[in-house]
């Protein structure tokens, strides 16, 4: 059944992060909670950039919506019901804003689209700063109940990966890939290019909101400056580092960069220099990213071994 190919990347992720959890004593508790959140962010941005071909720098804004939705709804009502409502509410608000913004802005291309989405992200952040009564302005919100632990974050990470993988292998996903490859040709073949670009943008924004909610309910505080332009760049670096258009690459890159950043903590002020140099070296010698567009697939492995078995049987019979 073709569905095997859909969840193979998620199954690989389950194995990698479960192995990491076994050695959790070697890492700080933050590492195996923040890294899955980064995976959700990278996979969702990769859907927009890598699979639909739209350069977006607005991911931090949608993450902020989810974070503040969780903070506002759970601060005075510390129940799992409120937490669930904050997840759904943040995703719906982010999806609605992405839809309203996406229809006009996704007609733009390249740098123009990047600037437009960056502007949207900054508008969201400025609105958060100025709505003092609701968001407490630049001072942020403290005392958020901690609902996110590694189990909760891990489950949502796997669900996000499965959602993106299934979408890419669906009819709509293949239409989205057609738009990425050649928008003019796709439109000539009757593909509604605007529809599929907006769909990918909305789905990516909703997953970014989910990651923001999980992050806020782990950190137990939110600040507007946590979701500025540099946050979008951080997520973009993960996507480019792993390979644009590879979900597996986004997962691997989130883990590699996260642990690299953690191990460099002992280097003090040199940490960011070494971190940047490591990224530059990879980009020089592997400009397509760590994995390029390669995807892990259990179905491909099974087919490979079954083909070898068939060849051996054929040689024996002959």
């Amino acid at each position: 059944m073709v569905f095997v190919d859909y969840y193979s990347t998620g199954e690989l992720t389950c194995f990698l992060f479960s192995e990491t959890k076994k050695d959790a004593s070697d890492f700080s508790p933050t590492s195996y909670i923040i890294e899955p959140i980064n995976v959700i962010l990278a996979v969702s941005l990769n859907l927009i950039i890598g699979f639909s071909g739209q350069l977006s720098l607005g991911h931090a804004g949608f993450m902020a919506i989810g974070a503040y939705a969780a903070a506002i709804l759970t601060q005075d009502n510390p129940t799992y019901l409120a937490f669930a409502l904050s997840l759904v509410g943040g995703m719906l608000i982010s999806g609605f804003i992405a839809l309203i913004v996406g229809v006009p802005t996704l007609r733009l291309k390249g740098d123009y689209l990047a600037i437009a989405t960056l502007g949207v992200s900054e508008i969201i952040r400025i609105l958060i700063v100025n709505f003092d009564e609701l968001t407490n302005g630049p001072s942020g919100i403290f005392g958020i109940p901690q609902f996110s632990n590694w189990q909760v974050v891990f489950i949502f990470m796997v669900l996000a990966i499965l959602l993106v993988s299934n979408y890419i292998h669906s009819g709509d996903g293949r239409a989205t890939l057609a738009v990425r490859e050649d928008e003019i040709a796709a439109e000539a073949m009757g593909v509604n290019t605007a529809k599929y670009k907006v769909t990918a943008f909305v789905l990516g924004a909703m997953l970014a909101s989910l990651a923001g909610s999980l992050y806020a309910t782990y950190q137990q505080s939110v600040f507007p400056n946590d979701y500025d332009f540099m946050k979008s760049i951080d997520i973009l670096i993960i996507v480019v580092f792993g390979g644009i258009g590879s979900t597996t690459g986004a997962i691997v890159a989130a883990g590699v960069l996260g642990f690299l950043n953690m191990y460099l903590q002992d280097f003090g002020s040199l940490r960011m220099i070494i971190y940047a140099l490591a990224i530059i070296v990879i980009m020089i010698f592997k400009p397509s990213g760590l994995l390029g567009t390669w995807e892990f697939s259990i179905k491909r492995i099974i087919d490979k071994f079954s083909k070898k078995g068939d060849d051996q049987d054929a040689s024996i019979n002959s």
Side-chain angles (χ1 to χ4, degrees):
M1 192 173 179
V2 183
F3 186 73
V4 173
D5 195 37
Y6 295 176
Y7 66 76
S8 55
T9 302
E11 195 167 77
L12 172 65
T13 308
C14 291
F15 172 76
L16 291 175
F17 276 89
S18 62
E19 291 300 308
T20 300
K21 185 66 184 73
K22 289 178 184 177
D23 300 326
S25 59
D26 298 334
F27 307 112
S28 66
T30 302
S31 63
Y32 54 84
I33 294 178
I34 298 299
E35 297 317 314
I37 293 175
N38 286 338
V39 168
I40 297 174
L41 290 167
V43 167
S44 60
L45 183 60
N46 195 38
L47 174 62
I48 300 172
I49 295 178
F51 293 115
S52 71
Q54 310 303 310
L55 181 57
S56 171
L57 294 178
H59 233 49
F62 298 116
M63 187 181 178
I65 292 174
Y68 272 87
I72 293 168
L73 291 178
T74 62
Q75 188 179 32
D76 297 325
N77 186 17
T79 63
Y80 277 99
L81 176 60
F83 175 56
L85 290 175
S86 70
L87 294 180
V88 175
M91 292 175 70
L92 290 177
I93 294 171
S94 291
F96 178 73
I97 293 176
L99 178 63
I100 298 300
V101 170
V103 171
T105 59
L106 290 179
R107 298 179 185 274
L108 304 173
K109 299 180 186 296
D111 297 340
Y112 300 104
L113 176 60
I115 293 170
T117 52
L118 173 60
V120 171
S121 178
E122 283 300 296
I123 288 172
I124 292 171
R125 189 178 67 84
I126 291 171
L127 287 174
I128 289 173
V129 171
N130 286 279
F131 276 102
D132 292 0
E133 295 181 0
L134 185 63
T135 64
N136 202 29
S139 300
I141 300 176
F142 298 89
I144 304 169
Q146 190 177 60
F147 292 104
S148 294
N149 51 37
W150 76 267
Q151 296 96 331
V152 171
V153 172
F154 181 80
I155 289 170
F156 279 112
M157 178 194 69
V158 173
L159 291 176
I161 294 170
L162 292 177
L163 175 63
V164 172
S165 297
N166 276 276
Y167 175 78
I168 293 303
H169 288 86
S170 68
D172 287 353
R174 297 190 185 281
T176 303
L177 293 175
V179 173
R180 179 194 68 181
E181 295 301 323
D182 193 326
E183 186 173 345
I184 296 175
E187 195 165 1
M189 294 298 294
V191 176
N192 187 340
T193 57
K195 170 188 172 183
Y196 293 112
K197 288 194 292 184
V198 171
T199 300
F201 188 64
V202 169
L203 184 56
M206 294 176 73
L207 290 176
S209 173
L210 171 64
S213 297
L214 295 173
Y215 182 76
T217 53
Y218 170 69
Q219 293 288 93
Q220 296 183 280
S221 61
V222 289
F223 304 96
N225 289 337
D226 289 341
Y227 308 99
D228 59 4
F229 167 66
M230 289 309 300
K231 186 62 180 179
S232 293
I233 295 299
D234 288 342
I235 305 168
L236 178 62
I237 287 173
I238 297 174
V239 173
V240 174
F241 189 81
I244 296 177
S246 172
T247 301
T248 310
I251 297 167
V252 172
V256 170
L257 291 177
F259 289 124
L260 177 63
N261 190 38
M262 183 185 66
Y263 281 123
L264 292 176
Q265 296 287 343
D266 295 335
F267 288 86
S269 59
L270 291 175
R271 178 173 63 89
M272 292 310 297
I273 297 175
I274 299 173
Y275 181 76
L277 286 175
I279 294 174
I280 291 171
V281 169
I282 290 294
M283 290 298 100
I284 290 175
F285 294 100
K286 188 70 173 172
S288 60
L290 288 177
L291 299 183
T293 58
W294 182 84
E295 294 284 8
F296 175 80
S297 173
I298 291 179
K299 181 177 182 295
R300 186 164 56 241
I301 295 173
I302 293 173
D303 290 344
K304 182 178 180 179
F305 280 101
S306 62
K307 183 179 180 181
K308 284 184 178 180
D310 293 341
D311 292 341
Q312 291 176 355
D313 292 341
S315 60
I316 292 173
N317 293 331
S318 62

